Amino acid sequence: MPDSAATLRAAGLRVTKPRQAVLGWLGEHPHATVEAIAAGVRESLGSVSIQAVYDVLAACGDAGLVRRIELSGHPARFERRTGDNHHHVVCRRCGRAEDVDCVRGEAPCLAPHDRRGFAVDEAEIVFWGLCPDCSGVSDHHEELAR
């Protein structure tokens, strides 16, 4: 992950300790909730309010540095991986989320049968299932089953 200060400057944002801490922590812990990000940032800064974390995420989201992920039945999550066409796989039991690269590459990778006049430029796809820990199946066993 690039240097947080340089990333903020390149996006035209002021470099602040909370912004650097949020971007740095989120780079190491993708798909994190605001509460998890705040707890992680507090370990390095000492104190930061939930509102300050929301403010940082909003500014960084507007600048294209952070992506907000809305998963049904889960609090919003955030990640640094932006600007590409990837999707997510989520465990129904524990909520673990992982990135899944798009097979087709370009956005939108799917188009509705009837666009109803919309100019569709993105499709968000979430795959749901059980992670290896919750299902008791390792990736190796999954590969053998195919």
Side-chain angles (χ1 to χ4, degrees):
M1 198 54 52
D3 174 53
S4 294
T7 300
L8 289 164
R9 281 189 203 95
L13 295 175
R14 277 185 318 119
V15 177
T16 65
K17 287 186 182 198
R19 286 178 178 173
Q20 286 181 283
V22 167
L23 287 182
W25 195 86
L26 195 52
E28 298 290 321
H29 305 90
H31 313 118
T33 64
V34 171
E35 290 75 18
I37 296 166
V41 168
R42 285 184 190 117
E43 291 178 13
S44 64
L45 291 184
S47 71
V48 66
S49 70
I50 291 285
Q51 186 58 53
V53 173
Y54 274 112
D55 292 345
V56 167
L57 291 169
C60 290
D62 290 345
L65 302 179
V66 169
R67 178 179 178 191
R68 181 183 176 111
I69 306 163
E70 306 262 356
L71 302 170
S72 178
H74 295 269
R77 298 178 192 203
F78 298 85
E79 67 180 344
R80 293 277 312 267
R81 187 175 171 186
T82 62
D84 67 353
N85 191 40
H86 76 278
H87 307 297
H88 296 94
V89 61
V90 181
C91 181
R92 287 187 188 281
R93 187 171 293 154
C94 71
R96 174 178 156 190
E98 298 287 338
D99 291 334
V100 177
D101 290 329
C102 181
V103 176
R104 296 198 182 169
E106 291 182 28
C109 59
L110 294 175
H113 186 66
D114 180 0
R115 295 180 186 191
R116 302 198 180 266
F118 281 75
V120 176
D121 62 5
E122 182 179 7
E124 290 187 15
I125 299 170
V126 178
F127 299 94
W128 294 90
L130 294 177
C131 71
D133 292 339
C134 291
S135 69
V137 177
S138 71
D139 288 338
H140 176 71
H141 290 113
E142 195 173 302
E143 288 297 321
L144 291 176
R146 289 184 190 173

